[in-house]
Amino acid sequence: MHQGTSPTSTGSSPEAVRRAALVAALDVVDGGPEERFERITRIAREAFGVSGSFLNLAGTDVLTIKSQQSDEVFGPTIPLQDTFCGRTIDQAGPVVVPDASADERFADMSMVVEDPNVRFYAGVPLRVGDDHVKVGTLCLVDPRPRTLDPDDLALLEELGVWAERELAAGADEDRLRGVLAGLQPAPVQVPGYRIGGMSVPHGVVSGDLHEWHLADDALHLTVADVMGKGMSAGLLAATIRGALLARPDEAPEAVVAALDEQVAPDLGRAESFSTMFHGRLDPASGRLDFVDAGHGLVLQMRPDGAERTLLSSDLPIGLHPAGFERSSGSLVLGHGDVLVIVSDGALELWDSTLSSLSRLGALWREAPDIDAFLARVRARALEHDPGDDLTVVVLARD
């Protein structure tokens, strides 16, 4: 219980400015209701049998109700000083008010004097960031005076910890998306060719990767798919990408052999593996030398309508026996030829078989523009969730 503290001015103090900046960085204020927060307030209301439960975020002088479970709907924004949260924002720990009408800090508030005639209030602080800045509260209200015993208060604090982790997870996902955006290959100009691609993660992080760059007048191109999904697959994919970029101008056989030696142990410890198609294109001749490590998801289309699928005879990185040489291959991209390289998530857009590659080829022929083609693949993925990471890369010779 915290008694005898008069309402404080939140204004634009350094603390309020920092709090508002942190709330803005969380990027959840304008997103509307989210089930990850609704679940917490719903459980809180049912667990304590109160008329209302709220998850609030405090700016400089406005309180935003991110989630509420209440018969009477409030907000979504309220002047901070007109709220229990705003008047106790400077207090470090939980605040329990058995009867607000008898507490000089809150007796003049409209929600106490008028409908809904709040009497009981209990709130726990929500903190995020390295400095554990208080950005809001998880709170309970009820029109009947009451209090909380130690076990009840402990439960409310645990729900508050849950809310803090959800807030932090959202911030981490935003930062992670920013990092992943920075890992996308930079655009390259190859006279006589067009190249483009996309990766759509099944969750936040993708275990797929696609990479291309120019070195010694050649285009080096890679598509890889780490087994599994989520954070672990994404970390392994980032490791593979780093190893690739450390060898920017080596021949495909040398690159994949080095990956077998360097990355396979990490994959083994994670009980994972990665398929990979890695090639080097000579733009003048159209010759593409490549190594296919268990990938086999490459479609070559010719301007006369003919097409062929390149199959793999090697095992993925992480499963290929040490000391055994890999096989290599080559093809020639003629004028008007198109190469489509995908991860296995693309097969799930249709029937999970290699015939899905021909379906992709048909999409390309209907709209032989890379941006338009990729937009159509994205639209297909929205209608038919592949349930897996999805990567599509197109290399077309004019």
Side-chain angles (χ1 to χ4, degrees), residues 67-79:
S67 176
Q68 58 181 307
Q69 307 294 327
S70 173
D71 293 335
E72 181 167 345
V73 178
F74 297 90
T77 61
I78 307 174

Side-chain angles (χ1 to χ4, degrees), residues 75-302:
T77 61
I78 307 174
L80 193 57
Q81 273 302 299
D82 292 344
T83 65
F84 288 91
C85 176
R87 297 191 179 190
T88 59
I89 195 71
D90 60 334
Q91 295 185 203
V95 175
V96 179
V97 182
D99 186 350
S101 65
D103 191 315
E104 62 182 16
R105 295 174 297 174
F106 314 108
D108 66 326
M109 287 170 48
S110 60
M111 68 179 64
V112 175
V113 177
E114 304 167 4
D115 285 338
N117 301 117
V118 173
R119 292 295 177 265
F120 167 72
Y121 168 87
V124 292
L126 302 179
R127 296 183 175 86
V128 296
D130 295 338
D131 297 333
H132 302 290
V133 176
K134 183 177 178 180
V135 296
T137 57
L138 176 67
C139 67
L140 314 170
V141 299
D142 199 82
R144 299 168 299 167
R146 57 178 291 184
T147 189
L148 297 180
D149 62 33
D151 289 341
D152 289 336
L153 189 57
L155 174 58
L156 184 59
E157 289 180 304
E158 288 295 328
L159 291 171
V161 171
W162 183 2
E164 289 174 344
R165 290 176 178 170
E166 291 293 350
L167 288 169
D172 288 343
E173 288 184 5
D174 289 341
R175 286 192 291 269
L176 192 52
R177 287 189 180 97
V179 170
L180 292 174
L183 296 179
Q184 299 300 309
V188 294
Q189 298 295 324
V190 184
Y193 295 82
R194 292 171 289 152
I195 184 169
M198 68 175 192
S199 282
V200 180
H202 179 59
V204 177
V205 183
S206 177
D208 291 355
L209 74 90
H210 64 289
E211 173 60 34
W212 56 69
H213 64 271
L214 292 170
D216 293 337
D217 298 323
L219 175 70
H220 298 254
L221 172 64
T222 309
V223 173
D225 182 358
V226 176
M227 185 195 73
K229 297 182 286 292
M231 185 66 73
S232 60
L235 289 173
L236 291 168
T239 300
I240 292 171
R241 184 177 186 273
L244 280 170
L245 294 180
R247 299 166 177 83
D249 56 358
E250 296 182 16
E253 297 90 339
V255 171
V256 176
L259 290 175
D260 276 326
E261 182 177 350
Q262 178 180 342
V263 181
D266 292 334
L267 292 166
R269 283 189 289 271
E271 298 182 344
S272 185
F273 59 83
S274 176
T275 65
M276 174 182 289
F277 178 91
H278 179 70
R280 179 184 183 277
L281 173 73
D282 174 35
S285 65
R287 179 185 174 98
L288 178 73
D289 297 312
F290 63 87
V291 172
D292 190 320
H295 200 74
L297 299 176
V298 183
L299 178 70
Q300 183 178 9
M301 295 181 288
R302 301 195 182 279

